[in-house]
Amino acid sequence: MPTALIVLAAGQGTRMNSELPKVLHQLGGAPLLVHALKSGASIGAERTVVVVGHGGEDVAKAARDWDPDVHVVEQVDRNGTAHAVDQARAALADFAGDVVVLYGDTPFIRSETIESMIDARTKNAVVVLGFEARDPARYGRLVLSGDRLEKIVEFKDATPEERAITLCNSGVICADREVLFDLISAVGNDNAAGEYYLTDIVGLAVDRGLSATAVTCQESETMGVNSRADLSAAEAALQSAMRAEAMECGVTLIAPDTVHFAHDTVIGRDTVVEPNVVFGTGVTIESGARIRSFSHLEGCHVSRGATVGPFARLRPGAELAEDVHVGNFVEIKNALIDEGAKVNHLSYIGDASVGEKSNIGAGTITCNYDGVFKHRTTIGKRVFIGSNTMLVAPVSVGDDAMTASGAVIVRDVPAGDMAIARADQVNKTGLGKRLMDKLRARKAAKN
Ligand code: UD1
Ligand code: CA
């Protein structure tokens, strides 16, 4: 049965106290909204509708950046969750199948959980995701009779007996598209909040002789973000889950609590990550690599057996082939470092390629930017770049060539040549000692 997804993302998130819409705050480097879209994508949803608030252009853009095919609809007035879902009616008018409703501020719903809801849907018209709340607080309560779900009561409208129920509504609901929108048409707003509650569709379904049921999950999955404190708690939860998963997949984390992952970090087996490493988005590391302490990686690929750091920075487009060594205080951006090449100390390699087995001496800089344009540096195979070489791009150094230490290379170096580009050295006989003696005498006279 095909499945469609509706993600509610119209809330302002007042308690975030932010210019940014709540669902655009980031978790593991991706907007909260993207986490909800990811859970939906992993069940293979055929159509996704994101309900944004009035003027939700930024939210719409974030949704489309993640998936250009999403439908974005606007909820101008915020009249409740049923009203929000109703905004997706037209976008799903020709869709036949189940619809799953998720919240854009609830990032941890697992695809397995959604799948078990879809399974339960075959025997029930409406399936709700519930959880046993440690502190049920203001959640909607699930009223059961046996394993049948009778209705959902919002906290504000609940009797003391109903408030004593600890099985709560996560907000995730699954129903057949046609049934869902029929039921929503019947939802009224005669309640404590004066809102159209999506939760009312359960009671309405049961009144019509349809069956409803609850699937349950861990409370941790239903964690929503309403404040900066919630956001930091969610980040901590994401990080600890990612660390556990990395270790389970055979990655050694020497001090797991000090390693920070992005939502999409991929690391191969037998790679060792030393303490205090930060992964930005878009990083893939193959097997058997070593990422040493205090390195920062983003948008890059590190191949098998390579070592990075300590204190290295790999920026977007850095591509390290097998057995490459990148050492301390080295920054690499938009550059391919080919097999077995070494950039071990204090260098900037940007908009460049370095051929296999080449060695880049300490303090080498690719001068890639002329103030307006960026230019490329091409270094061949088995090249030896002397320490403190400035490579003023666009420039190339051929295979097996060398540059002398301190060279400022402004013209191409042919294969096999040695480029010396610095003023000739002059030694003035005895001047060093004479000058020093004079300076010391001057200091003594002063005291
Ligand atoms: C809702 C549920 C409650 C459940 C709780 C779980 C209803 C009536 N109540 O309550 O049973 O326990 O979530 O967190 O559904 N939204 C819109 N447009 C609206 C209203 C809401 O897009 O007009 C979005 C919000 O941005 C949010 C989500 O829907 O992402 C839930 O809305 P919220 O107001 O937080 O619902 P709760 O009162 O917490
Ligand atoms: Ca809420």
Side-chain angles (χ1 to χ4, degrees):
M1 176 82 81
T3 309
L5 194 71
I6 299 176
V7 180
L8 303 189
Q12 299 138 338
T14 324
R15 281 195 283 152
M16 294 300 283
N17 191 9
S18 174
E19 294 281 311
L20 198 66
K22 175 166 77 175
V23 295
L24 297 189
H25 282 266
Q26 295 201 333
L27 198 60
L32 287 168
L33 176 66
V34 165
H35 290 267
L37 291 169
K38 265 174 97 173
S39 344
S42 60
I43 58 152
E46 295 200 346
R47 201 178 299 184
T48 298
V49 185
V50 178
V51 181
V52 305
H54 185 48
E57 287 87 6
D58 293 342
V59 178
K61 185 180 179 303
R64 292 199 180 102
D65 283 351
W66 165 254
D67 173 5
D69 296 330
V70 297
H71 297 248
V72 177
V73 298
E74 190 174 83
Q75 184 192 24
V76 177
D77 298 310
R78 223 169 149 267
N79 293 332
T81 44
H83 179 252
V85 171
D86 203 25
Q87 308 311 304
R89 185 186 290 268
L92 293 174
D94 61 344
F95 179 82
D98 287 334
V99 176
V100 174
V101 178
L102 298 176
Y103 294 167
D105 62 1
T106 305
F108 295 130
I109 306 289
R110 294 179 316 134
S111 54
E112 292 85 343
T113 300
I114 303 176
E115 272 154 15
S116 66
M117 291 179 71
I118 293 168
D119 280 350
R121 235 289 299 143
T122 54
K123 294 205 188 77
N124 296 275
V126 178
V127 180
V128 171
L129 181 62
F131 64 100
E132 278 295 336
R134 243 175 312 125
D135 171 18
R138 306 187 65 81
Y139 287 117
R141 306 296 206 267
L142 301 191
V143 181
L144 294 179
S145 134
D147 61 355
R148 306 251 62 86
L149 181 60
E150 289 287 312
K151 60 176 176 175
I152 303 178
V153 195
E154 286 307 295
F155 175 80
K156 284 182 185 167
D157 303 287
T159 63
E161 294 74 41
E162 288 165 340
R163 286 183 182 184
I165 297 172
T166 52
L167 183 62
C168 291
N169 175 30
S170 68
V172 183
I173 280 188
C174 175
D176 168 73
R177 194 273 306 169
E178 203 174 339
V179 172
L180 174 70
F181 287 106
D182 275 357
L183 292 170
I184 282 177
S185 300
V187 170
N189 66 348
D190 181 16
N191 53 49
E195 287 188 359
Y196 295 87
Y197 294 159
L198 179 61
T199 45
D200 281 356
I201 68 168
V202 172
L204 289 166
V206 172
D207 289 348
R208 291 181 183 186
L210 299 171
S211 75
T213 195
V215 161
T216 57
C217 69
Q218 294 294 313
E219 181 165 14
S220 54
E221 260 185 74
T222 70
M223 176 190 243
V225 172
N226 294 304
S227 63
R228 307 267 180 173
D230 289 350
L231 186 64
S232 70
E235 185 71 54
L238 177 78
Q239 292 301 329
S240 80
M242 293 207 63
R243 290 166 192 146
E245 195 194 318
M247 290 189 281
E248 198 157 308
C249 293
V251 178
T252 294
L253 303 180
I254 294 172
D257 290 351
T258 69
V259 175
H260 196 90
F261 289 106
H263 70 111
D264 59 354
T265 307
V266 177
I267 306 184
R269 221 154 75 108
D270 292 321
T271 281
V272 176
V273 180
E274 294 184 1
N276 296 298
V277 170
V278 175
F279 295 96
T281 55
V283 176
T284 52
I285 314 270
E286 292 181 11
S287 309
R290 189 170 190 106
I291 312 299
R292 306 192 61 191
S293 289
F294 298 100
S295 294
H296 187 286
L297 295 81
E298 185 185 1
C300 63
H301 175 78
V302 175
S303 301
R304 200 176 273 270
T307 68
V308 174
F311 296 98
R313 180 163 184 215
L314 301 185
R315 290 174 52 207
E319 164 82 37
L320 311 193
E322 291 187 18
D323 303 318
V324 159
H325 287 205
V326 167
N328 39 263
F329 307 106
V330 170
E331 174 180 344
I332 296 185
K333 182 213 75 169
N334 187 30
L336 165 69
I337 314 297
D338 219 336
E339 226 175 296
K342 292 182 177 150
V343 192
N344 272 333
H345 331 267
L346 299 153
S347 291
Y348 171 64
I349 305 295
D351 302 312
S353 62
V354 174
E356 58 186 53
K357 299 263 176 359
S358 286
N359 186 89
I360 308 295
T364 295
I365 305 241
T366 54
C367 310
N368 61 325
Y369 187 47
D370 59 17
V372 180
F373 297 105
K374 301 273 173 67
H375 302 281
R376 285 197 70 81
T377 299
T378 307
I379 297 170
K381 301 172 187 171
R382 299 170 302 277
V383 168
F384 183 91
I385 300 289
S387 293
N388 196 30
T389 295
M390 302 293 114
L391 295 150
V392 183
V395 75
S396 72
V397 180
D399 295 348
D400 303 297
M402 292 178 88
T403 69
S405 179
V408 178
I409 303 296
V410 297
R411 289 192 308 274
D412 290 352
V413 181
D417 281 10
M418 157 71 105
I420 305 167
R422 61 189 184 209
D424 265 349
Q425 183 170 333
V426 183
N427 292 342
K428 302 275 189 189
T429 312
L431 180 59
K433 180 153 195 323
R434 283 207 307 280
L435 184 60
M436 196 54 81
D437 287 349
K438 207 164 156 185
L439 291 172
R440 287 199 181 108
R442 193 181 291 168
K443 189 173 180 189
K446 254 192 175 174
N447 295 339

